[in-house]
Amino acid sequence: MSRLPALHAPTAPPGTTDRHSTLPLLAVCLGYFMVILDVTVVTVALPVIGTGLHAGVTGLQWVVDGYTLVFAGLLLFCGGLGDRLGGKTVFLGGLGVFTLASAGCALAPAVTVLVLARLVQGLGAALMVPSSLALLRSAYPDRTARARAFGVWGTVAGLAAGAGPVLGGLLVAGPGWRSVFFLNLPVGAAALLLTVRHVPRPAADRSRPGLDLPAQLAAAGSLAGLAGGCIEAGALGWTHPAVLGAFALCAAGLVAFVWLERRSPAPMLPPGLFRAPAFSAAAVIGVLLNAGFYGLLFLAPLYFQRLHHYSALRTGFALLPAVGVVAVGSALAGRLTARTGPRLPMVVGLVVGAAGLFGWLPAGPATPYAVLVAPMAAAGFGTALTMPASTAAVMEAAPGARSGAAAAVFNAGRQIGSALGVALFGTLVAGGLVPGLHAAVVLGGTGLLLAAALAARYIPRTGKPT
């Protein structure tokens, strides 16, 4: 009978949590899993979506980049919003927006509607991600439990990214491509219920200065212009007035953003962060790394399905060498970074990733699949080896008071890199899949070698002394 009270421990009232309870962690990780999954799960479904909605490569680029651009562009803003309104309020709002937008994606009758729904999904993702860590910090005040929760949270990203292509192939081969988005409805509903009942509410910081809306709009306009120009150039040409206008919007938005941030009492992007060469280098490396890897993930399903006539299910399994090594690479990166500092795993990972991209140069209509296994594995392993070390380098280079802003900048840069990779790689294949693929992997591989040079020059061999 003395054990009966322990059996009732999980039924703590809303707003409280036991430090050993896994329910707050489950709630937050379900939402984060959806956010990361929807970056990669769509890749396998793209050719089928293009056929079903009569969309060309440009439309498919917007399906991927519409989500990523809004996600990247609003991360800094939504991080501040979570501080002002409270992490639980913003997280729940993001869950609701993401889940409803997923239903819009699943029911979309045309590619234009699908792109608009993906934009709204990106808003939901941006609301969820910055507030998720604040919720875990509040739910697990015990340092050991909190460290474990953060570790699980980070592992979820790798699992979601790795499961995306395979899960996408299974769903497309079974119920159809719309089920890729319908899957989010029960997951989102479960996350909402668990969050309401079991995640404590952190205190909001009402003293935080304004959210700098003009600068946010300028940044969003600049990103949209850059990605839009790169995407539309494939169909319209680089000198088309609409493309040139998009690039002009990008430049004007960037100038306005810098001008507004310098005059803001509470800038979203503190200029002092970039005075540390290691921080600036790591931020650029994050952009180049994601551009190469996610650009390849966009083109590989098109290559397998259009040239080798693979089914969506077979394509998902064909991509396993690229995504199946993520967990191994991430674990090894953590150990190497702890022993040697971030420079070694970053340089090695970037060189290996570049070799993986260059390994796609023999790819053609008759290239055996076995020839591409090692290049895919190298690209995935190199990315997984580099990313945790890059994160450590960013956090080591940033002042302690700016750690939150540094993490937001780094993650926003990664998402921008993903969007640019899809935009540029997709544009290059507009004139032909094979020559465009070759040009894309040369561009991506060269970018990773440049990133390796930056890491070797600017990333310290060991962390800052404590």
Side-chain angles (χ1 to χ4, degrees):
M1 296 299 290
S2 61
R3 294 181 179 271
L4 286 177
L7 295 175
H8 297 287
T11 62
T16 63
T17 183
D18 183 88
R19 69 187 182 96
H20 297 296
S21 173
T22 60
L23 293 177
L25 178 61
L26 178 60
V28 170
C29 285
L30 280 175
Y32 189 49
F33 184 85
M34 289 195 300
V35 168
I36 303 302
L37 183 72
D38 270 47
V39 176
T40 58
V41 72
V42 178
T43 57
V44 173
L46 284 175
V48 181
I49 292 174
T51 301
L53 299 182
H54 309 289
V57 172
T58 299
L60 298 180
Q61 286 173 277
W62 278 116
V63 170
V64 177
D65 271 359
Y67 174 77
T68 309
L69 276 173
V70 176
F71 185 15
L74 294 180
L75 271 175
L76 291 172
F77 175 79
C78 291
L81 193 66
D83 290 340
R84 284 177 63 88
L85 302 181
K88 184 170 182 177
T89 299
V90 173
F91 186 78
L92 285 171
L95 270 174
V97 168
F98 192 95
T99 304
L100 291 175
S102 297
C105 292
L107 299 172
V111 70
T112 303
V113 179
L114 177 58
V115 170
L116 289 174
R118 289 281 285 172
L119 294 175
V120 181
Q121 267 193 322
L123 169 60
L127 288 167
M128 276 192 281
V129 170
S131 56
S132 60
L133 287 174
L135 291 181
L136 290 181
R137 181 181 294 275
S138 175
Y140 299 99
D142 177 79
R143 179 177 296 180
T144 301
R146 185 167 64 244
R148 290 173 181 168
F150 284 167
V152 172
W153 184 89
T155 303
V156 163
L159 292 175
V166 176
L167 183 58
L170 289 169
L171 291 173
V172 172
W177 70 263
R178 296 181 187 275
S179 63
V180 168
F181 301 106
F182 274 130
L183 174 68
N184 291 332
L185 272 61
V187 177
L192 279 166
L193 179 62
L194 287 170
T195 302
V196 169
R197 290 180 57 86
H198 299 287
V199 175
R201 185 180 299 274
D205 182 7
R206 303 296 181 183
S207 64
R208 181 186 173 94
L211 293 173
D212 206 359
L213 284 174
Q216 176 62 60
L217 292 174
S222 181
L223 288 176
L226 178 60
C230 292
I231 289 174
E232 296 298 333
L236 302 177
W238 291 96
T239 59
H240 190 278
V243 175
L244 295 177
F247 289 136
L249 173 64
C250 170
L254 180 61
V255 170
F257 177 76
V258 173
W259 185 84
L260 290 166
E261 286 287 274
R262 284 183 174 177
R263 286 156 179 78
S264 172
M268 294 186 300
L269 187 59
L273 285 176
F274 292 95
R275 293 178 188 146
F279 177 85
S280 298
V284 172
I285 289 167
V287 173
L288 294 173
L289 179 65
N290 271 38
F293 183 66
Y294 285 98
L296 178 63
L297 279 187
F298 176 77
L299 292 187
L302 297 177
Y303 169 80
F304 286 128
Q305 294 188 38
R306 293 187 176 179
L307 293 186
H308 288 269
H309 308 291
Y310 282 12
S311 66
L313 179 59
R314 188 176 180 185
T315 299
F317 282 100
L319 293 175
L320 271 178
V323 297
V325 295
V326 169
V328 176
S330 297
L332 181 59
R335 294 181 180 181
L336 281 177
T337 302
R339 290 184 179 181
T340 69
R343 182 198 295 177
L344 178 63
M346 289 176 70
V347 172
V348 172
L350 289 163
V351 171
V352 171
L357 287 174
F358 288 133
W360 276 78
L361 285 173
T367 304
Y369 171 75
V371 173
L372 301 175
V373 170
M376 283 192 288
F381 181 78
T383 300
L385 190 64
T386 304
M387 192 51 64
S390 299
T391 303
V394 164
M395 301 312 291
E396 289 170 359
R402 298 293 190 184
S403 59
V409 170
F410 182 62
N411 282 292
R414 289 176 54 197
Q415 298 305 320
I416 291 169
S418 300
L420 288 179
V422 171
L424 288 172
F425 283 27
T427 295
L428 289 172
V429 301
L433 185 53
V434 172
L437 173 63
H438 292 167
V441 296
V442 168
L443 178 64
T446 302
L448 293 191
L449 290 180
L450 173 60
L454 288 174
R457 174 65 179 84
Y458 294 108
I459 302 300
R461 189 180 302 274
T462 58
K464 294 189 301 184
T466 57

